[in-house]
Amino acid sequence: MKKNIVLFVLFVLPIVAYLFFASGVNSFTTLPVITPKVADFGNWKSLNGKKVSLDKKITVLGFSGSNILDNRGNYFNLNEKIYKRYNGFEDLQFVVLCPLGTEKEAQKIVDALSPFTDVKNWNFVFASNEEIQQFYDQLHLKGKLNQNLGTSNVYIVDKERNLRGRKDKDEYKEGYDTFHPSELSNEMLDDFKIILYEYRAALKKNHNATKQL
């Protein structure tokens, strides 16, 4: 009997524990609202000329700043760790808010991603410096934009235009640093799965689940 208990502790219990944590315990929680009901974009143009809105979309939101090419590695990190994994979802968009005058630089980013990525859900949207700062200010975040009106952080905004994150004081997180691939692979991916789980559960409850999510 003792031998069986020892074997269970040494071999079976670690496997059970691993499967428990690997399955993502957070999938059964909700991701708190950091800023409720953020304003939608203005009548700003995008690279492909279409109107981009936060309404009824799960949005990964970024701020490029005027030195967009200097930070192109951040977009490749985000593309590899998050975008390529989920870009098949129709209700998902990646939006980067850029200063007017950086259209050519943004196009170079898209051109660099397109040979190995379906870039249809990448949206680069352009506004004046004042509009970008005003839009960021109404998010009421602890972090600030740099002198170029950019940040390496990206933010998760849900379909109801609520900015989501972690409010626990020991692991407060309002955005995810694209400079660090490990942060995208861990914290952001975990939180992103929670958002998708919420909507999948809601669709299933309402008996209208679709392939969109």
Side-chain angles (χ1 to χ4, degrees), residues 82-95:
I82 306 294
Y83 180 90
K84 288 173 72 172
R85 184 166 182 163
Y86 292 107
N87 73 327
F89 296 131
E90 296 176 15
D91 293 340
L92 173 66
Q93 62 181 357
F94 284 59
V95 180

Side-chain angles (χ1 to χ4, degrees), residues 113-129:
L113 294 173
S114 59
F116 52 89
T117 302
D118 180 355
V119 295
K120 67 179 181 179
N121 288 324
W122 273 108
N123 298 278
F124 288 82
V125 177
F126 304 89
S128 69
N129 289 359

Side-chain angles (χ1 to χ4, degrees), residues 150-169:
T151 174
S152 59
N153 281 353
V154 292
Y155 308 91
I156 298 175
V157 181
D158 67 22
K159 289 187 175 185
E160 287 73 43
R161 302 206 318 263
N162 300 311
L163 192 148
R164 310 286 286 274
R166 305 183 186 187
K167 298 184 79 171
D168 189 68
K169 68 176 185 178

Side-chain angles (χ1 to χ4, degrees), residues 21 67 76 82 148 156 169 181 186:
F21 287 108
N67 57 339
F76 284 90
I82 306 294
N148 298 310
I156 298 175
K169 68 176 185 178
N186 295 305

Side-chain angles (χ1 to χ4, degrees), residues 51-110:
K51 169 68 175 175
V52 177
S53 172
L54 293 172
D55 282 329
K56 299 180 181 179
K57 292 281 189 179
I58 298 173
T59 303
V60 175
L61 175 66
F63 295 80
S64 73
S66 57
N67 57 339
I68 182 171
L69 288 180
D70 292 344
N71 302 309
R72 57 187 177 272
N74 296 357
Y75 299 104
F76 284 90
N77 291 340
L78 183 62
N79 188 70
E80 289 297 314
K81 300 299 182 180
I82 306 294
Y83 180 90
K84 288 173 72 172
R85 184 166 182 163
Y86 292 107
N87 73 327
F89 296 131
E90 296 176 15
D91 293 340
L92 173 66
Q93 62 181 357
F94 284 59
V95 180
V96 183
L97 191 52
C98 313
L100 287 169
T102 61
E103 289 86 350
K104 290 183 178 179
E105 289 82 358
Q107 186 62 59
K108 289 180 180 179
I109 298 292
V110 174

